[in-house]
Amino acid sequence: MSNPFKIASQDNKLSQKVDNKPRTISKRQETQAKFDRLWLTEAKQFAPLRNCRGKERIIRTWNLIEKHTSFKGKLAVDLGCGSGVFSKKMRDAGAAVDAVDISSNALKALQSDNSERIAAIQDFIPHTSLEDNRYDLVVSMELIGYIPSVEHRLYMSELARLVKSEGFVVCSTSLDINTQDAVQSFGSLAETEFAISEWKFSYHALQIRISNFFKAPARFAKGWQDHHYRKQQLAKRTGFDKWWYSFNSSTAIGWLWSGLQYLAFPLVYLLDNNRTLLLGLEKICRFLWTESGISHASFIGQRRPLIPPSKEELQAIEPKQKRQVWE
């Protein structure tokens, strides 16, 4: 999604009529129905290995965890586990893993292939029924973007509730490359509950923009061929962007994009699957745009104590020689 921190919030309950009688659907049921449907129709969006950016995020998150703690003998929870790619990696490294997702279809995908020693749990995040202070490691990757912004603080509190006092929390998300101060906003949110041990940023804004440019013919062609899809895309747009998509997906010009999409496909494939190109573009992006080129952020940290440390304890702690995210 283009802007994971500007998702319209939804009511906790939704009323529908069945046989002319009102029926109340809870937020949990509504969310489960939504994600079960998405797993049937658009499961690819939940596949972290679908492109080189997703694979790189897993590598960097894994390295971040290994730098600060180990997996062997630990109890870990993977919140929003999807098909369990990261859950299985943690299991193979020696951790006991609880894999949590609201979608029954996601958990079916997890259990369909090599899910031994992974406990699949269907639960609603951030309102889980998991025990307090239970886990040595709490992992939540690419989940906050699917949670209404009014519940972001509750989401962070839930991560803090689940982790042991000496345990670690790992959280990651894509950042909207068109929004200012996204890094600072996410950092400030994380700091409400956690003492951050380390941040890891990915500077893929340039690669995303180039990829989106070459994917445009396919988007216009699909709008020309699929009127329902075109209607959905127009509803998401305003102003010039809406007019531009309407014009390019119209009968008058849509056929042109239908042919050009096949010429652009080799470049799209290269951008999506070549790690060497991804890392090369990241170096250029970081040099040219610095912080404004950040497209993804991960952190590992520990729960802040409820009682602040005394002056004597603070003096005994040697300050870390590193810049904070907002400096």
Side-chain angles (χ1 to χ4, degrees), residues 28 79 100 123-131 158 161-162:
R28 179 191 176 103
L79 298 173
V100 180
D123 213 335
F124 179 47
I125 303 160
H127 309 280
T128 72
S129 56
L130 303 172
E131 294 180 23
E158 183 71 358
R161 182 183 72 82
L162 297 176

Side-chain angles (χ1 to χ4, degrees), residues 87-290:
S87 295
K88 292 170 184 176
K89 282 180 67 69
M90 292 192 291
R91 183 269 317 273
D92 293 343
V97 181
D98 287 349
V100 180
D101 205 287
I102 186 60
S103 171
S104 58
N105 291 327
L107 296 178
K108 287 177 184 176
L110 180 149
Q111 294 171 317
S112 66
D113 179 41
N114 188 26
S115 62
E116 293 84 1
R117 295 184 289 114
I118 296 177
I121 301 172
Q122 187 172 19
D123 213 335
F124 179 47
I125 303 160
H127 309 280
T128 72
S129 56
L130 303 172
E131 294 180 23
D132 294 356
N133 308 311
R134 175 171 172 76
Y135 297 99
D136 302 294
L137 180 63
V138 175
V139 176
S140 181
M141 298 171 60
E142 322 310 315
L143 178 59
I144 191 173
Y146 292 100
I147 293 176
S149 58
V150 295
E151 294 187 343
H152 286 175
R153 285 288 300 272
L154 180 61
Y155 164 78
M156 287 293 174
S157 297
E158 183 71 358
L159 302 187
R161 182 183 72 82
L162 297 176
V163 72
K164 296 178 180 178
S165 58
E166 69 277 12
F168 286 90
V169 166
V170 179
C171 182
S172 69
T173 187
S174 297
L175 300 175
D176 184 3
I177 59 177
N178 299 308
T179 298
Q180 290 185 339
D181 301 326
V183 174
Q184 290 88 340
S185 297
F186 185 48
S188 298
L189 179 68
E191 288 280 353
T192 60
E193 295 287 347
F194 304 106
I196 308 300
S197 302
E198 186 175 349
W199 285 93
K200 185 65 179 179
F201 301 119
S202 295
Y203 297 76
H204 295 152
L206 178 60
Q207 191 263 3
I208 291 171
R209 288 194 166 98
I210 294 174
S211 180
N212 286 341
F213 175 81
F214 286 109
K215 288 177 180 178
R219 291 196 299 271
F220 295 144
K222 186 173 182 180
W224 171 60
Q225 296 167 339
D226 186 338
H227 294 294
H228 179 68
Y229 175 81
R230 184 173 188 261
K231 187 177 180 180
Q232 286 181 326
Q233 293 302 307
L234 290 174
K236 297 177 182 178
R237 291 167 162 79
T238 58
F240 178 79
D241 187 35
K242 184 174 183 177
W243 175 87
W244 183 250
Y245 187 85
S246 177
F247 171 72
N248 284 285
S249 60
S250 65
T251 304
I253 197 172
W255 60 271
L256 176 62
W257 295 118
S258 182
L260 289 176
Q261 67 176 320
Y262 297 105
L263 296 176
F265 178 78
L267 291 172
V268 171
Y269 183 85
L270 183 68
L271 286 163
D272 280 351
N273 295 281
N274 191 297
R275 184 171 184 254
T276 301
L277 180 59
L278 175 75
L279 298 180
L281 289 173
E282 182 174 31
K283 290 180 180 178
I284 296 172
C285 181
R286 186 172 186 175
F287 176 77
L288 293 177
W289 296 341
T290 59

